[in-house]
Amino acid sequence: MPGRAGMLRAWRAAGILRDIDVYATEAAIRANGASDVEAAAMALASRAVGEGHVCLELAAVTDAWLRSLQSDTEIPLPEGTAAICTAIRSLPDGGTAGFAHAPQEPGVFVLVAGRLYLRRFYNDERLVERRLSEMAAEGDNGALPPELESRLRLAFPGEGSAQQAAARGALTRRLTLITGGPGTGKTYTAARILALLTHQHNGQRPLRVRLSAPTGKAAARLGESIRLARAAMPPGTFLDGMIVDEACTLDRLLGRRWQVAAYRHHADCPLEADVVMVDEASMVDLAKMARLLDALPAQARLVLLGDRHQLAAVAPGSVLAAICAAPAIAPAVVELTESRRFAPGGAIARFSTAVNTAYDAVAAAQAMALLAPDVDADDAVGFVEAPPVLKTWQGGVDMRFAQAVLHGYRDFLDAQTPVAAFEAIAGFRVLCALRRGPLGAEQVNTLIEEILSGRGLQMDKLPADCRPARALEPSGAFYSHRVVMVTQNDYATGLYNGDVGIVLPAADDPQRLAAYFEQPADTGGERYRRVPCHLLPAHETAFAITVHKSQGSEFGRVLVLLPPADSPVVTRELIYTAVTRTRSGVTLWGGRESLTAAMQRTVSRFSGLFA
């Protein structure tokens, strides 16, 4: 077996470890010491965090898992790797000098129940499990006072409805988790829950409600949805005794201090809130959930909204999925199943349900049988056998893809006002499973710019519905009809990660370009705000976006690009998330065998949360 330093260098050269994994391991060894096997386990625990895991499952350390970490699987594993993997799997929970084995023991790494954690993730996991279990145990969904019971039934007609169950839970428990697919009425239900909580509170001071979400875009959408739902309620439904703060990101809610990587609100300085409502909870990672629970006041209620079948957060942890599966939290979980986005029993509804239950090859084949040939019909899930590349090295573009892009973005290219442009861009979007590579969002955006500009295409030979009145003219950093997505929160401009803008000529000066961003319809101001291009925070072109970045969005039609060869990145959750972004139709581009395999693969992250 190679020595410690040689092994770490060999794994780094083979693409298994990153520089930060080696540095973290060396720092831990200097602080606490470690054997060669313990050092290897530490390095892999750090690497696991980079893959979205909360810890390292020792039993999962195999040659095959190490190969999954390599960006280039053609590089052979270093000699002695198999022996090291066997030794790591055999590490005992007690008796190893390099690790802590109990919360009170010192050490950067903690080894408990066959799981090796970086200390901070172990502490976060225990905090989340303890606080959520305590909150779920408070209350019993019992009887309500007659007047409140009457209001509940008026707000949610239908004996025994899931909405009633969610509202009853929120009125009698500190923790309520409302999960459901797109269009199942999560925010509709949440708005009426707030109304009922107002009546229940009826105290000496107003009920303080804080609305939040992981991203600025999701927070703005939650705030708008709640305001619209409130406006649609009968007069007097909401009492004057409620203060609903503007929806904001979790970082802003908790008072993130970027310079010191800390938060203003915590156990000793809790939030000022009676109710905290968080949307898109599937996107909340373990560390952020821990900070939220730590800052929650002792008697405050927490309402989580999310779709447990969607992709997990990019950062470590699959918190929502773990919560929904935990028996200790089950009394606080309500699932809404009736979608108003898709036609009941329609193709999209049936396929998305089939994807979620494709646990084996037979079920996956049944889901594949629901796919139709490439069609533009409403409520259809089409399939196209995708080529390995969309553009050959000689410059030839796949004409099926070119026609799909031109047809989808034709109305957008013809739009000359912000109103028309935003309406058109909401009607079609290209989603990519990957960020990089021939079918990744970065290269696909460049290809779409070429297609929309007409370069290398004989427009007169294309169908009439693929010919826009004007072609795109990409030049320089900004050009008319460039679609951009903000990638960094910027409070000075009021633009947040995930916000989508469109570059257009300014109305008062057609020679000057500006980026336009949509604002909530009920704010009373201009529907579209104009931001000078030079003031835009970090952003990227967004004719095509990754499926991860599409979470929470809704489009008329969607074209989804999946790698034709099997990829561990493409999972059941990714396919479900992509398909459910559409209102009317979706076409999957990929390989049949790889798509069948992907539907049977679920996001699996090492974690001890509620294990």
Side-chain angles (χ1 to χ4, degrees), residues 253-313:
L253 175 73
L254 297 171
R256 178 70 183 266
R257 294 172 172 172
W258 297 98
Q259 295 84 353
V260 292
Y263 293 89
R264 184 164 66 89
H265 293 293
H266 44 75
D268 296 326
C269 181
L271 293 165
E272 294 182 8
D274 300 300
V275 181
V276 175
M277 182 174 289
V278 180
D279 197 11
E280 298 293 350
S282 65
M283 298 167 64
V284 181
D285 60 86
L286 176 69
K288 198 65 64 64
M289 183 64 75
R291 302 290 77 75
L292 172 64
L293 292 172
D294 191 44
L296 201 67
Q299 301 305 315
R301 286 180 164 90
L302 176 64
V303 180
L304 301 175
L305 313 174
D307 186 347
R308 65 187 178 93
H309 296 299
Q310 278 193 186
L311 284 164

Side-chain angles (χ1 to χ4, degrees), residues 59-337:
V61 179
T62 62
D63 285 7
W65 184 69
L66 263 61
R67 285 193 180 282
S68 73
L69 301 177
Q70 293 179 286
S71 57
D72 184 356
T73 55
E74 298 299 319
I75 300 176
L77 293 178
E79 184 178 352
T81 293
I84 295 175
C85 289
T86 300
I88 289 174
R89 294 196 299 271
S90 303
L91 284 171
D93 277 355
T96 47
F99 309 136
H101 301 279
Q104 65 273 17
E105 293 182 10
V108 178
F109 289 86
V110 182
L111 178 58
V112 177
R115 300 183 183 95
L116 182 61
Y117 295 84
L118 283 160
R119 165 72 68 175
R120 64 189 179 94
F121 289 106
Y122 177 79
N123 292 342
D124 285 347
E125 194 171 83
R126 300 285 68 78
L127 185 153
V128 169
E129 186 169 308
R130 183 181 70 255
R131 290 296 303 273
L132 288 178
S133 296
E134 291 171 352
M135 294 175 68
E138 295 182 33
D140 57 4
N141 286 12
L144 299 173
E147 193 269 344
L148 194 57
E149 179 71 30
S150 176
R151 288 186 178 276
L152 184 148
R153 294 179 183 277
L154 286 173
F156 302 103
E159 184 69 31
S161 70
Q163 285 86 355
Q164 270 196 20
R168 192 179 302 281
L171 291 166
T172 57
R173 294 180 177 276
R174 285 191 61 208
L175 175 66
T176 303
L177 198 162
I178 305 175
T179 182
T184 52
K186 295 185 292 293
T187 52
Y188 168 93
T189 302
R192 281 157 176 75
I193 285 175
L194 292 181
L196 292 167
L197 286 172
T198 311
H199 288 286
Q200 183 188 53
H201 177 71
N202 200 19
Q204 297 297 316
R205 59 175 180 78
L207 185 75
R208 183 74 178 270
V209 177
R210 308 298 299 272
L211 304 177
S212 190
T215 67
K217 179 181 177 181
R221 189 173 54 252
L222 172 63
E224 181 179 12
S225 297
I226 293 295
R227 286 192 293 270
L228 292 174
R230 288 179 63 175
M233 293 182 193
T237 303
F238 273 83
L239 300 179
D240 293 334
M242 175 184 282
I243 298 175
V244 182
D245 288 6
E246 180 183 359
C248 62
T249 64
L250 282 168
D251 278 332
R252 196 167 195 182
L253 175 73
L254 297 171
R256 178 70 183 266
R257 294 172 172 172
W258 297 98
Q259 295 84 353
V260 292
Y263 293 89
R264 184 164 66 89
H265 293 293
H266 44 75
D268 296 326
C269 181
L271 293 165
E272 294 182 8
D274 300 300
V275 181
V276 175
M277 182 174 289
V278 180
D279 197 11
E280 298 293 350
S282 65
M283 298 167 64
V284 181
D285 60 86
L286 176 69
K288 198 65 64 64
M289 183 64 75
R291 302 290 77 75
L292 172 64
L293 292 172
D294 191 44
L296 201 67
Q299 301 305 315
R301 286 180 164 90
L302 176 64
V303 180
L304 301 175
L305 313 174
D307 186 347
R308 65 187 178 93
H309 296 299
Q310 278 193 186
L311 284 164
V314 175
S318 297
V319 179
L320 184 65
I323 296 172
C324 290
I329 311 299
V333 179
V334 176
E335 183 165 12
L336 308 182
T337 57

Side-chain angles (χ1 to χ4, degrees), residues 281-485:
S282 65
M283 298 167 64
V284 181
D285 60 86
L286 176 69
K288 198 65 64 64
M289 183 64 75
R291 302 290 77 75
L292 172 64
L293 292 172
D294 191 44
L296 201 67
Q299 301 305 315
R301 286 180 164 90
L302 176 64
V303 180
L304 301 175
L305 313 174
D307 186 347
R308 65 187 178 93
H309 296 299
Q310 278 193 186
L311 284 164
V314 175
S318 297
V319 179
L320 184 65
I323 296 172
C324 290
I329 311 299
V333 179
V334 176
E335 183 165 12
L336 308 182
T337 57
E338 186 178 344
S339 177
R340 293 170 177 81
R341 180 181 294 186
F342 314 127
I348 299 171
R350 286 186 290 116
F351 182 74
S352 58
T353 300
V355 168
N356 282 336
T357 55
Y359 300 115
D360 54 36
V362 174
Q366 292 172 344
M368 291 293 293
L370 297 174
L371 295 173
D374 181 25
V375 294
D376 293 325
D378 287 343
D379 191 29
V381 181
F383 178 78
V384 172
E385 193 78 35
V389 295
L390 297 173
K391 182 181 178 181
T392 65
W393 65 272
Q394 298 100 330
V397 177
D398 186 282
M399 290 308 299
R400 297 173 305 167
F401 182 71
Q403 288 188 32
V405 167
L406 286 165
H407 182 266
Y409 287 124
R410 186 190 62 169
D411 291 344
F412 170 70
L413 291 183
D414 292 344
Q416 297 303 308
T417 66
V419 175
F422 274 95
E423 182 178 335
I425 202 65
F428 177 75
R429 194 62 58 90
V430 176
L431 305 182
C432 301
L434 308 176
R435 180 173 180 81
R436 296 181 177 88
L439 299 183
E442 291 181 352
Q443 289 194 30
V444 170
N445 267 306
T446 300
L447 178 58
I448 290 176
E449 287 178 322
E450 292 182 16
I451 291 171
L452 296 182
S453 69
R455 276 184 276 169
L457 300 177
Q458 293 179 300
M459 286 292 190
D460 58 335
K461 294 185 178 180
L462 292 173
D465 62 357
C466 294
R467 302 177 206 162
R470 59 177 299 279
L472 196 71
E473 298 178 2
S475 61
F478 298 102
Y479 54 85
S480 180
H481 287 71
R482 183 189 176 202
V483 182
V484 297
M485 175 178 280

Side-chain angles (χ1 to χ4, degrees), residues 12-24:
R12 177 67 187 88
I16 295 171
L17 299 179
R18 305 164 298 172
D19 289 339
I20 191 172
D21 304 322
V22 177
Y23 297 152

